[in-house]
Amino acid sequence: MKLEELLAPCPKCGSKDKIAHRKMLDNHRAHAEMDTVKCEECGYIFFVNENMEEDEKKQLLNELNKIYG
């Protein structure tokens, strides 16, 4: 995700506050990759990791939309 995208306001609510979710890659929590970036106010999803499996991505989007939708 580019810096300009992180700084841009949410197209849904206009908020600039975002939450980044990370996926831990090992048990020691030393390595992680970006999972999603979403708006803190309305839950609009800006970014979903392209390396995720399609089923995992759908499940994550469904969970996020239930919580923040």
Side-chain angles (χ1 to χ4, degrees):
M1 182 170 211
K2 296 180 181 179
L3 181 61
E4 296 85 26
E5 295 170 337
L6 281 175
L7 298 175
C10 176
K12 194 172 180 182
C13 70
S15 173
K16 289 191 174 187
D17 297 329
K18 296 175 181 66
I19 299 173
H21 293 270
R22 300 180 327 153
K23 179 180 179 181
M24 295 298 158
L25 299 176
D26 62 4
N27 292 338
H28 304 291
R29 298 184 175 257
H31 298 87
E33 64 182 21
M34 188 72 70
D35 234 4
T36 61
V37 175
K38 62 184 182 82
C39 177
E40 187 174 353
E41 297 294 323
C42 69
Y44 178 83
I45 299 171
F46 287 90
F47 171 82
V48 175
N49 189 344
E50 293 90 20
N51 297 331
M52 292 175 74
E53 295 179 15
E54 198 60 36
D55 292 337
E56 186 179 6
K57 191 182 293 188
K58 285 180 185 177
Q59 180 183 4
L60 178 64
L61 288 172
N62 285 337
E63 288 176 22
L64 289 174
N65 288 331
K66 284 180 191 174
I67 296 170
Y68 298 101

